[in-house]
Amino acid sequence: IHPLKVAMCKAEPFEVLSLPQLLDGPTVIDWTVDQIVPPKGGGLLAADSGVGKTWTTLDLALAVATGDRWLGHFATKRGPVLIVDEENAELLVRLRLRKLLKGRGLSEGVDLPVFSMVARMINLSPATQPNGTMIPDVT
């Protein structure tokens, strides 16, 4: 597995669709996680502190990376996963991933398409100049 390469890109204007345009398209979804995560989709899991959000999302990442069912029920389509965690320390994420791998019967040396950006203070919001070119975030 090669390190994930992240590149800054030029911001493009967005397209607004009318209702007929929106409805005139495919209606079959090739789910990444059956009925939960669409392809090329993102999501947000929000809940009170301490209820298991990190455990849940890390297990979801491993399910997609292996192509195994998530929570023993939801079919997944195998693919690469990027874990972005700005709340937890890398050590905590590492310890939890080790436990989840063990629970799935996988060794710590398994080569899965899982990449991480943990506690990096990243800003995923693109900033642009008036001419539309990206302003690199150097903070």
Side-chain angles (χ1 to χ4, degrees):
I1 295 176
H2 300 288
L4 183 66
K5 294 182 181 177
V6 180
M8 298 296 284
C9 60
K10 181 180 175 188
E12 298 291 332
F14 58 89
E15 179 182 4
V16 177
L17 300 176
S18 68
L19 181 59
Q21 290 171 317
L22 179 61
L23 295 176
D24 183 33
T27 55
V28 176
I29 298 175
D30 185 20
W31 295 95
T32 300
V33 179
D34 190 32
Q35 302 298 311
I36 297 178
V37 180
K40 298 183 182 180
L44 176 67
L45 180 60
D48 290 335
S49 178
V51 297
K53 296 181 302 290
T54 302
W55 285 104
T56 302
T57 53
L58 291 176
D59 189 56
L60 172 61
L62 292 177
V64 171
T66 60
D68 292 338
R69 289 189 171 274
W70 182 49
L71 302 177
H73 177 74
F74 301 98
T76 65
K77 183 177 179 183
R78 189 175 195 277
V81 178
L82 173 63
I83 298 168
V84 179
D85 187 332
E86 291 295 339
E87 290 186 19
N88 296 295
E90 189 173 310
L91 174 61
L92 181 61
V93 173
R94 181 181 307 118
L95 291 171
R96 289 181 176 180
L97 278 170
R98 285 180 173 162
K99 288 180 180 184
L100 289 166
L101 284 168
K102 184 176 181 181
R104 288 179 167 273
L106 300 169
S107 73
E108 290 182 21
V110 66
D111 191 12
L112 294 174
V114 176
F115 306 90
S116 69
M117 295 170 61
V118 178
R120 298 289 192 257
M121 301 297 292
I122 60 169
N123 179 358
L124 296 176
S125 301
T128 58
Q129 298 177 23
N131 67 1
T133 59
M134 298 297 292
I135 300 171
D137 184 6
V138 294
T139 59

